[in-house]
Amino acid sequence: MRRKVSIFGSTGSIGCNTVSLIEAQGGAEAYEVVAVTGATNLSLLAEQAVRLKAKYAVTSIPSKLTDLQSLLYGSGITSLAGPEGLLEAARVPVDWTMSAIVGFAGLAPGLESARHGGVIALANKESLVCAGDLFMRTCREHGTELLPVDSEHSAIYQALCGEKMSEVERIILTASGGPFREKPLADLTDVTPEQACKHPNWDMGQKISIDSASMFNKAMEVIETKYLFGIDGDRIEVVVHPQSAVHSMVGFCDGAVMAHLGPTDMRGSIGYALNWPERRPLPLEPFDLVALGRLDFAAVDHEKFPSVNLAYRALREGGLAGAVFNAAKEAALEGFIAGFIGFLDMSRLVEHVMDEIAGEAAQFGSEYDLSDVQRIDGVSRVAARSWISRHNRK
Ligand code: NAD
Ligand code: MG
């Protein structure tokens, strides 16, 4: 029987890699593709839907529905649009879901997918940053298996196979340090989004590439680690490792440290999640240790990258502080891309919004629902935009 799959965010960087792996493993003959989803790139979305013989193609933008319908006219594929369209597609039970929408927008469809069991391959780390307790609880209640796609968390997941969490002392996330690792703090004031987008090791979407340059991506991964593996923030460490060959590590109570190494290619962790619990050969470059030559490690420069400590703060405050952190970070990133604020302003802005709202957000504890998260997200964005308008460079 063909495995039923849906790919949310299929037109993005993770989504396209997922589609290419599914096609390399037999495409529509081996998989019954229920839904593919995207936003603005309708021609790619329609092309993927046709190639994979999907049942639904969904654009997140309501006004694009008729364009999508015209592109798919006569194909027998149903076009859907908007947040409701995404939820409708997520309600169809499947065996495997890729959750690879970028940002907060991925949370609601991800939660809906988590309600029908099966496996969720989670690339949308924002789901855990904003609503870790709710997301993990939903998966538990519906017997849904959650597999990380983020390379670090896939590495940790693999290093933990057959191990007991009670014997884990710490989890060590590796961070490349991004394109500005060697730039002095003073030179970061005027860097541009184009410079921030040039990741030294990984080829990723624009937002996550800039988040890597500011280390907000690593900050989010600290929060993601807490919820995925149920480990407190004070046992999660971040170490800079410029080669990105060690994808992350787990330290055990007997002093052993298990490291996961491999090529810097997201198809490694996507393929692991796609084929889990088995492993299959993947079309990756061979991992050449001699060519690599050396592995370097260094401490995070917290003065240059205050984002990492803001994530630890969100974990200490608890409740919905992560949702505040994420909303402020998304608004900051948009402000930076638009040229309204500078690179270093992004952390200042997030800190300011956390000062203002995280206390209220922390009151929720672990018992909250999606509407609570949406409300905190909304007020945090308002506070962030007001900060941006007061500090607008343009
Ligand atoms: P991307 O920007 O390349 O693609 C995002 C996808 O989401 C696209 O299909 C886009 O059409 C869709 N989308 C955008 N806005 C939307 C909205 N408002 N509603 C619904 N859909 C929307 O992003 P990406 O780099 O593939 O990242 C996707 C997720 O995976 C992010 O959460 C990111 O942090 C995570 N991730 C990515 C990588 C990577 O290598 N790219 C690695 C680890 C984790
Ligand atoms: Mg990562």
Side-chain angles (χ1 to χ4, degrees):
M1 222 178 57
R2 289 182 305 163
R3 242 173 127 202
K4 266 191 178 184
V5 303
S6 279
I7 308 154
F8 287 80
S10 62
T11 58
S13 166
I14 293 284
C16 286
N17 277 320
T18 308
V19 169
S20 83
L21 284 179
I22 285 181
E23 289 188 316
Q25 294 188 173
E29 296 201 346
Y31 296 88
E32 182 182 339
V33 178
V34 172
V36 287
T37 88
T40 47
N41 193 344
L42 297 187
S43 51
L44 176 60
L45 178 63
E47 194 189 303
Q48 289 177 333
V50 169
R51 279 208 321 261
L52 292 172
K53 301 193 170 64
K55 197 164 176 343
Y56 300 101
V58 194
T59 163
S60 60
I61 305 165
S63 61
K64 302 256 179 208
L65 180 61
T66 44
D67 291 346
L68 184 60
Q69 282 169 332
S70 327
L71 283 168
L72 290 171
Y73 183 75
S75 66
I77 297 164
T78 304
S79 302
L80 299 171
E84 249 323 301
L86 287 168
L87 291 179
E88 192 177 332
R91 276 186 208 111
V92 183
V94 289
D95 304 309
W96 189 88
T97 303
M98 168 53 78
S99 167
I101 289 174
V102 64
F104 186 72
L107 172 62
L111 272 174
E112 197 57 59
S113 300
R115 291 198 182 95
H116 56 57
V119 174
I120 294 195
L122 187 73
N124 179 266
K125 60 190 87 183
E126 294 87 349
S127 293
L128 294 178
V129 174
C130 300
D133 285 308
L134 173 62
F135 203 88
M136 296 307 290
R137 186 166 67 235
T138 307
C139 288
R140 263 195 317 274
E141 283 172 4
H142 294 82
T144 299
E145 193 71 47
L146 189 61
L147 299 179
V149 170
D150 222 340
S151 57
E152 295 77 0
H153 305 78
S154 175
I156 296 161
Y157 186 94
Q158 294 177 54
L160 282 171
C161 283
E163 305 289 353
K164 296 191 189 86
M165 268 319 282
S166 57
E167 292 167 1
V168 171
E169 197 177 66
R170 58 190 176 140
I171 286 180
I172 307 156
L173 291 170
T174 52
S176 70
F180 303 146
R181 184 174 52 89
E182 293 191 316
K183 250 190 196 309
L185 175 64
D187 291 356
L188 291 181
T189 312
D190 292 315
V191 293
T192 63
E194 292 70 35
Q195 289 171 303
C197 219
K198 290 208 179 77
H199 198 280
N201 304 332
W202 298 92
D203 177 18
M204 307 183 287
Q206 184 202 34
K207 289 188 173 171
I208 186 175
S209 296
I210 299 178
D211 279 349
S212 298
S214 60
M215 291 194 77
F216 265 113
N217 181 51
K218 206 52 51 183
M220 293 167 76
E221 291 180 358
V222 167
I223 303 178
E224 188 183 5
T225 302
K226 178 203 154 93
Y227 291 106
L228 271 173
F229 304 108
I231 184 167
D232 286 341
D234 58 5
R235 293 197 292 142
I236 304 170
E237 297 172 18
V238 178
V239 65
V240 173
H241 166 47
Q243 293 89 357
S244 299
V246 176
H247 294 156
S248 276
M249 295 172 262
V250 178
F252 292 90
C253 57
D254 59 0
V257 175
M258 300 281 272
H260 175 291
L261 288 83
T264 51
D265 186 328
M266 285 309 294
R267 290 175 300 176
S269 51
I270 298 169
Y272 179 80
L274 180 63
N275 295 316
W276 180 89
E278 276 144 38
R279 287 183 185 268
R280 285 172 71 166
L282 297 170
L284 310 183
E285 288 291 312
F287 185 58
D288 186 340
L289 281 165
V290 176
L292 182 66
R294 54 190 274 181
L295 301 173
D296 296 305
F297 298 97
V300 176
D301 180 341
H302 289 287
E303 216 192 326
K304 255 165 73 178
F305 303 110
S307 50
V308 177
N309 278 335
L310 289 172
Y312 283 107
R313 174 180 161 188
L315 284 185
R316 280 194 307 275
E317 293 186 356
L320 286 173
V324 178
F325 169 88
N326 181 71
K329 193 254 358 163
E330 286 190 17
L333 182 59
E334 281 159 21
F336 173 62
I337 292 172
F340 297 149
I341 58 170
F343 183 78
L344 295 173
D345 289 332
M346 289 194 284
S347 291
R348 294 187 189 117
L349 161 53
V350 174
E351 185 171 17
H352 168 83
V353 177
M354 287 181 75
D355 288 345
E356 214 171 276
I357 298 166
E360 176 196 345
Q363 312 286 325
F364 284 91
S366 58
E367 293 304 315
Y368 52 81
D369 60 23
L370 179 59
S371 64
D372 297 323
V373 190
Q374 285 165 331
R375 195 178 63 75
I376 290 294
D377 175 83
V379 294
S380 306
R381 277 173 209 266
V382 170
R385 289 186 189 126
S386 134
W387 192 94
I388 292 174
S389 59
R390 290 198 304 278
H391 296 81
N392 194 341
R393 285 178 157 197
K394 278 194 170 170

